[in-house]
Amino acid sequence: MFLNRNLLPLALCALLLGGCSTSQTGFLGLAPAGDRRDYIYARDLYAQQNYTKAIEELTEYIYKTKNVKRREARAYRLLGMSYEQLGDLSKALEVYLEALEFHPNNVPLLLAAASLYQRTDLTDRSMELYERALAQEPNNLEALAGQAANYSAMGFYSKARSFYDKFFELNPEAGPQYRARYAYTFLRQRNYQDAFIHITMALAQNDQSPDFWLLSAKAARGLNRPQDALSDMEAALALAPNRKDLLAHKALWLYEAGQYRESFQTAERILQHEPGNQLALFIQAMDEYYLGRPQDSRRHMTAVREGNKDSFIGRVADKLLTAAPQR
């Protein structure tokens, strides 16, 4: 007896699914409704910042599926993100790499692993994965920006800009951090004019970043505008008054400008927080020499040498002390 015409589609479906009902396996192999609820529960735990519990739920959700090719990429991605939130980057990377064995062309997984490699300075591996992502999605903004950052880190600044150029073409309203990174590639190649133009654009979007002001100061200095450079440095210090690198730059630039008292006072601000800072002591020693205080200069230079004779500054201090006879 032939099957009822209305039952035929259901019979074929059951046959295709190996005799299992849709309530057991889900339509066409997708996660059953109960399993989907488990994933949603884990996703909610993540949203509530309960990352430890989310890891427990996602681990059970993923590994109860014995057919590894059917383990969901999105669940792996959320599991890796949970480990990232807990600061366990090695475990997060392990999760992403396992997932890529089963989903080798999944762009979100490729981006997640590439970003982690980048954060841990494994630039070659990061570049490989970003390249695979771009092979799937040539206009993926995250991959373009990530690859640009990789080339910049390796010192290939022109190549980095080729990725940034495409990134900005696709995303002209990109955040100022990307414009600042673009400016940095020009600065490293001593193209101070273009560096200044682009960091000025970044500052037009966000003038509350001391790093942006520092980059602007370096570009202005490269353009032989020392007062503008010092003004930009003051803007940076207004936002981060105790940052040692900013204070050190300012002290050095004041010294080079012949403003020895101001340079000495700026270096003193570093020493208030780090009394043995070699660079600050060295700057003060040089300032005192030109202020006509040779004994004080020698005392500070000796402190530099005693701090760490094997460092570059320590070796310079040793040579200066050896060459200059004590009065």
Side-chain angles (χ1 to χ4, degrees):
M1 181 176 180
F2 291 101
L3 290 170
N4 183 295
R5 184 186 300 272
N6 294 327
L7 296 177
L8 184 60
L10 292 176
L12 287 173
C13 183
L15 180 63
L16 289 171
L17 295 175
C20 297
S21 70
T22 56
S23 64
Q24 291 174 301
T25 63
F27 181 65
L28 295 182
L30 296 178
D35 285 354
R36 286 198 298 274
R37 285 194 294 270
D38 290 342
Y39 173 80
I40 292 170
Y41 175 58
R43 187 184 64 190
D44 290 343
L45 288 170
Y46 180 90
Q48 296 162 13
Q49 301 182 5
N50 191 346
Y51 306 119
T52 301
K53 184 63 175 175
I55 288 171
E56 293 177 9
E57 295 294 326
L58 287 163
T59 301
E60 181 180 353
Y61 177 77
I62 291 169
Y63 293 106
K64 72 180 178 182
T65 303
K66 302 306 179 184
N67 184 346
V68 295
K69 293 184 179 180
R70 288 183 56 199
R71 292 176 179 170
E72 293 182 31
R74 63 175 184 173
Y76 272 115
R77 178 73 180 94
L78 192 59
L79 178 59
M81 290 167 59
S82 299
Y83 279 116
E84 284 192 66
Q85 292 291 344
L86 293 176
D88 194 344
L89 301 188
S90 61
K91 187 63 178 178
L93 185 59
E94 180 183 317
V95 169
Y96 294 143
L97 295 181
E98 178 182 314
L100 284 168
E101 292 180 23
F102 315 130
H103 306 281
N105 297 321
N106 184 277
V107 172
L109 288 173
L110 287 167
L111 295 176
S115 176
L116 271 186
Y117 275 132
Q118 188 175 69
R119 289 168 63 184
T120 52
D121 296 325
L122 294 171
T123 306
D124 289 342
R125 293 301 308 275
S126 177
M127 293 179 75
E128 175 190 339
L129 295 183
Y130 277 131
E131 193 64 36
R132 285 168 58 183
L134 288 168
Q136 300 295 318
E137 298 180 9
N139 293 336
N140 186 285
L141 294 175
E142 184 178 344
L144 288 169
Q147 202 69 308
N150 279 332
Y151 277 108
S152 183
M154 295 181 71
F156 299 122
Y157 301 112
S158 296
K159 183 69 173 177
R161 283 198 296 276
S162 70
F163 283 92
Y164 280 128
D165 287 340
K166 186 172 182 179
F167 174 85
F168 287 124
E169 180 183 345
L170 295 167
N171 188 23
E173 302 301 321
Q177 68 273 24
Y178 300 106
R179 189 65 64 178
R181 293 170 193 168
Y182 190 61
Y184 177 79
T185 67
F186 288 110
L187 186 75
R188 293 295 295 172
Q189 292 186 315
R190 299 185 180 182
N191 182 344
Y192 301 115
Q193 184 64 47
D194 283 331
F196 189 79
I197 289 171
H198 289 286
I199 194 57
T200 300
M201 292 172 67
L203 283 166
Q205 292 178 269
N206 175 17
D207 62 359
Q208 296 301 303
S209 168
D211 290 317
F212 291 3
W213 285 110
L214 174 59
L215 207 160
S216 180
K218 290 180 176 180
R221 185 172 169 77
L223 291 170
N224 197 29
R225 290 156 47 184
Q227 290 306 311
D228 287 340
L230 285 170
S231 177
D232 286 347
M233 188 60 68
E234 287 295 342
L237 283 166
L239 295 167
N242 297 321
R243 256 183 62 172
K244 288 183 293 185
D245 61 324
L246 300 178
L247 291 167
H249 275 99
K250 181 183 177 183
L252 281 169
W253 294 354
L254 288 168
Y255 165 78
E256 292 175 2
Q259 296 175 248
Y260 304 119
R261 294 186 188 280
E262 294 84 351
S263 173
F264 185 93
Q265 292 167 357
T266 302
E268 186 64 28
R269 290 171 61 183
I270 300 175
L271 293 169
Q272 289 173 358
H273 298 279
E274 189 180 326
N277 186 283
Q278 277 191 302
L279 180 56
L281 290 168
F282 185 86
I283 294 170
Q284 286 195 331
M286 298 301 292
D287 287 329
E288 287 174 321
Y289 179 82
Y290 286 103
L291 287 169
R293 304 200 298 258
Q295 294 302 318
D296 290 335
S297 175
R298 188 175 187 87
R299 176 171 56 83
H300 277 108
M301 198 66 75
T302 301
V304 173
R305 181 176 64 182
E306 291 176 351
N308 184 358
K309 189 175 181 179
D310 295 327
S311 69
F312 173 75
I313 297 176
R315 293 196 300 272
V316 172
D318 184 59
K319 288 183 179 180
L320 290 172
L321 287 167
T322 303
Q326 187 168 4
R327 297 179 183 178

